[in-house]
Amino acid sequence: MNIFVVNSGSSSIKYQLFRWPAEQPVCSGLVERIGSEQATIRHKVFDLQAPEGAPPTEQFYTLPLPDHEVGLREVVRLLTEQPSGVIQDPSEIAVVGHRVVHGGEAFAATALITEEVKAEIKRLFVLVPLHNPANYLGIEVAERLFTHAQQVAVFDTAFHQTMPEHAYRYALPTALYEEQRIRKYGFHGTSHQYVAAQAAAYLDQPDARLITIHLGNGCSMAAVRGGRSLDTTMGFGPLGGLVMGTRSGDIDPSVLLHLQVQLGYTPEQVSTLLNKQSGMLGLAGSNDMRDIGRALDAGDARAALAYDLYAYRIRQYIGAYTATLNGLDAIVFTAGVGENDAMVRARVCQDMEFFGLQLDEVKNQERAPGLRDLSRPESRVRILVIPTNEELEIARQCAQLLINE
């Protein structure tokens, strides 16, 4: 069975094709700068018979792509035509799995896409205007191109629907929850679910108490026990919690009132400030941790403060979530920064012996593929690095859904 996973962004399409039940993708790719004359496509084809570690065959080229439909049609051409083709016809795709950022309270699990499901995704546009509209567009285009396939939605918020009410409610008038559904939803759920399952299997503890730490340009943490999310740092939208690449994370609401009432900011200006001009960009002048790391090595004071604040916020949540879990078996670093930035991991684990975290500094500096245990032998809590694979998790959930149907 061929499962095609699509992650449609506002100007991009990320994709992978799995020949199930093999969990190694047959091909993958990224379409970027859709809507421009200089859009790019990077397409990789994997030889499943090649020795482990063999590089894929890769194509990269630039072309005009006015919209997502033209972009996805180009992807279909790459899937079906030689030298990159891996299928003969789009009808060979049995399932198209779509990443959808927000499922609200309606979706606590993966869902076959119907007109009713599409209507609910559309209703949630107002909550995530940068994400759900792009996800919805990807669904509509895929329905036209893969007419024989079952379309499936996998929601970022679904994993966090197991949070108890005292964790997801805000101390606002009840009517705002009952009538407007203002509450914590959480995001990055597909990533948290994937790495939590990998960690529990590694520990051989199905009921493991885990704190998963997803650090990319967007950042979030989750408290997970027995594979269930008990709390997470992102809330009503993907702005709260940790310091991120360009997002502020947690901030006193009084600041927002001051910006508008005293300084004359419009709501749109506040949104731009908090989402696009804050975080590491606001603190250090860049949202690329590699650039900030180089500035730190050069003695830049802004970079030093940014790293300190970034790690401090993570340590605070480790403390809070250890209390939520009533103990801790492992923390898991994942995503681009979590997997690759040894300095971030070292600063997060610094002075955390009380919580049982003892980092092996030599292991922390080593680079290797796959799951890594960076703990010292005497560490009571394991410190793991697990590469996330949201596309594989989406494919797994699609397959599981069809098995249960």
Side-chain angles (χ1 to χ4, degrees):
M1 177 171 69
N2 290 314
I3 300 178
F4 187 53
V5 175
V6 176
N7 183 349
S8 179
S10 59
S11 62
S12 67
I13 303 170
K14 189 177 182 181
Y15 61 89
Q16 287 194 32
L17 176 64
F18 295 88
R19 191 156 292 147
W20 212 255
E23 295 197 340
Q24 171 67 31
V26 178
C27 68
S28 68
L30 178 63
V31 186
E32 293 185 288
R33 300 179 67 186
I34 293 172
S36 80
E37 293 292 312
Q38 297 293 312
T40 62
I41 298 182
R42 186 181 300 275
H43 182 78
K44 298 178 182 180
V45 177
F46 301 91
D47 182 353
L48 302 185
Q49 307 303 316
E52 187 175 351
T57 302
E58 186 170 334
Q59 293 176 265
F60 179 82
Y61 56 102
T62 301
L63 74 171
L65 292 177
D67 55 41
H68 283 68
E69 181 151 0
V70 175
L72 200 52
R73 285 189 183 279
E74 185 65 17
V75 171
V76 170
R77 186 188 69 77
L78 289 168
L79 293 176
T80 56
E81 293 183 8
Q82 296 304 319
S84 60
V86 292
I87 58 174
Q88 298 296 316
D89 188 86
S91 64
E92 294 177 35
I93 303 291
V95 184
V96 181
H98 297 269
R99 179 200 180 207
V100 179
V101 168
H102 211 310
E105 290 188 322
F107 300 105
T110 298
L112 282 172
I113 294 174
T114 62
E115 289 305 312
E116 292 75 17
V117 169
K118 287 167 64 177
E120 184 65 20
I121 293 170
K122 202 168 185 178
R123 189 184 69 80
L124 294 164
F125 281 7
V126 66
L127 299 186
V128 277
L130 297 179
H131 297 90
N132 268 33
N135 305 151
Y136 185 91
L137 179 59
I139 291 169
E140 292 212 307
V141 171
E143 285 177 330
R144 290 194 289 270
L145 297 183
F146 301 99
T147 55
H148 293 79
Q150 291 183 287
Q151 308 286 331
V152 175
V154 179
F155 300 92
D156 270 11
T157 51
F159 179 59
H160 300 301
Q161 286 295 299
T162 55
M163 288 188 294
E165 188 171 11
H166 63 257
Y168 70 70
R169 284 286 298 274
Y170 294 119
L172 293 171
T174 299
L176 286 174
Y177 170 66
E178 293 180 343
E179 298 170 14
Q180 303 298 325
R181 285 306 189 248
I182 294 177
R183 51 158 286 180
K184 177 185 285 192
Y185 289 101
F187 299 90
H188 294 149
T190 307
S191 177
H192 288 294
Q193 185 170 4
Y194 176 81
V195 298
Q198 297 290 108
Y202 170 76
L203 297 170
D204 195 22
Q205 289 181 242
D207 295 327
R209 297 165 299 181
L210 307 169
I211 296 175
T212 51
I213 309 171
H214 178 108
L215 303 177
N217 193 49
C219 303
S220 66
M221 293 169 62
V224 181
R225 183 170 63 209
R228 294 167 60 85
S229 174
L230 300 186
D231 206 347
T232 189
T233 54
M234 286 180 170
F236 181 67
L239 184 58
L242 304 179
V243 176
M244 308 181 215
T246 63
R247 297 178 192 146
S248 65
D250 287 345
I251 190 168
D252 180 351
S254 299
V255 174
L256 313 186
L257 298 174
H258 181 79
L259 289 171
Q260 294 182 79
V261 175
Q262 301 299 327
L263 302 183
Y265 277 60
T266 65
E268 292 76 16
Q269 287 173 322
V270 172
S271 177
T272 298
L273 174 71
L274 298 182
N275 282 290
K276 298 180 180 180
Q277 299 172 346
S278 297
M280 298 301 273
L281 178 63
L283 290 168
S286 173
N287 64 322
D288 190 318
M289 295 297 282
R290 293 165 295 187
D291 292 340
I292 301 169
R294 286 189 285 268
L296 179 67
D297 291 339
D300 186 281
R302 292 177 65 195
L305 173 61
Y307 256 95
D308 286 343
L309 181 50
Y310 188 90
Y312 177 71
R313 189 71 59 82
I314 296 169
R315 289 200 304 273
Q316 283 188 308
Y317 272 108
I318 289 174
Y321 285 173
T322 300
T324 296
L325 295 165
N326 191 25
L328 186 60
D329 296 305
I331 65 170
V332 182
F333 290 98
T334 194
V337 176
E339 294 167 28
N340 297 301
D341 196 318
M343 191 184 309
V344 163
R345 295 192 299 262
R347 287 182 176 231
V348 168
C349 296
Q350 184 179 352
D351 299 326
M352 294 289 281
E353 292 84 0
F354 178 83
F355 291 93
L357 295 167
Q358 293 184 271
L359 180 72
D360 186 315
E361 293 289 356
V362 175
K363 289 181 181 178
N364 187 43
Q365 293 297 327
E366 295 171 351
R367 299 181 69 89
L371 186 152
R372 290 179 283 157
D373 189 334
L374 308 184
S375 320
R376 291 166 58 181
E378 63 270 27
S379 182
R380 288 188 292 108
V381 174
R382 311 319 296 168
I383 303 167
L384 307 178
V385 174
I386 301 179
T388 193
N389 194 330
E390 293 169 278
E391 287 75 24
L392 175 56
E393 181 62 30
I394 289 170
R396 285 175 174 172
Q397 292 191 33
C398 289
Q400 190 61 46
L401 176 69
L402 297 179
I403 289 169
N404 293 334
E405 281 292 310

